[in-house]
Amino acid sequence: FSQDDGAGYFYRILSGTVRLCRYMPDGRRYIVDFNLPGDIIGLNESPDHPASAEAVTDVIVIAYPRVCFDRLARECPELRTQHLCHLSANLLSAQQHLFVLGSQRAKERVASFLLRLADRMDLGHGDRLDLAMGRQDIADHLGLTIETISRSITQLRAEGAVLVPNTHQLV
């Protein structure tokens, strides 16, 4: 879906990676978040989608009609509770991201992003982190330039915090 499209459906990601993007009138792109298998996107309390959903990799999703969800939510208190938990988790994630952007330097932002991504992928210490997104995507998510992302990863590697087998994998 595209930014400002009607939110007639919401989606569960079965496989792949999706980026949620907002585009500014001057063409600049801000990546709100990266969504992974199991995530639900497009389920918000707005009649329109506030961001565009774009596939980063091959993606399989299930589309659910919003009108059916709304009807079920009226009939099933448990579903309303789950919806509230989903919205609360999204709010907490947004607050954490604002903290990262507002209070951390570039290298700290990159490290926080990598740790959050590894945590969401349920990786342990020393596991390989496959980056579906490129450095420009990471830069657009963290409010940095692609050069700063590359420099920060180089610094983290020099400090022994990460190993970099290739441009799309970190340990």
Side-chain angles (χ1 to χ4, degrees), residues 34-85:
F34 294 98
N35 298 102
L36 306 171
D39 288 350
I40 294 174
I41 57 175
L43 182 57
N44 52 53
E45 293 301 312
S46 171
D48 301 321
H49 290 294
S52 296
E54 301 173 351
V56 176
T57 63
D58 289 339
V59 175
I60 298 173
V61 300
I62 298 175
Y64 299 97
R66 179 61 195 249
V67 66
C68 294
F69 175 82
D70 291 341
R71 187 184 73 241
L72 284 172
R74 284 190 300 272
E75 298 167 3
C76 179
E78 182 178 308
L79 186 59
R80 283 194 305 265
T81 300
Q82 289 176 355
H83 184 217
L84 181 59
C85 289

Side-chain angles (χ1 to χ4, degrees), residues 1-66:
F1 52 85
S2 294
Q3 183 174 322
D4 299 325
D5 281 354
Y9 291 85
F10 67 96
Y11 308 85
R12 177 181 294 276
I13 300 171
L14 297 180
S15 66
T17 302
V18 173
R19 64 181 167 236
L20 291 179
C21 305
R22 296 228 19 174
Y23 289 91
M24 303 301 149
D26 64 3
R28 287 177 295 145
R29 174 182 78 161
Y30 172 70
I31 296 179
V32 177
D33 205 358
F34 294 98
N35 298 102
L36 306 171
D39 288 350
I40 294 174
I41 57 175
L43 182 57
N44 52 53
E45 293 301 312
S46 171
D48 301 321
H49 290 294
S52 296
E54 301 173 351
V56 176
T57 63
D58 289 339
V59 175
I60 298 173
V61 300
I62 298 175
Y64 299 97
R66 179 61 195 249

Side-chain angles (χ1 to χ4, degrees), residues 27 44 92 98-99 102 104 106 110 114 120 124 139 157 164 167:
N44 52 53
L92 180 60
L98 282 172
F99 172 76
Q104 294 184 342
V110 172
L114 296 173
R120 291 179 63 207
R157 183 176 62 195
V164 185
T167 57

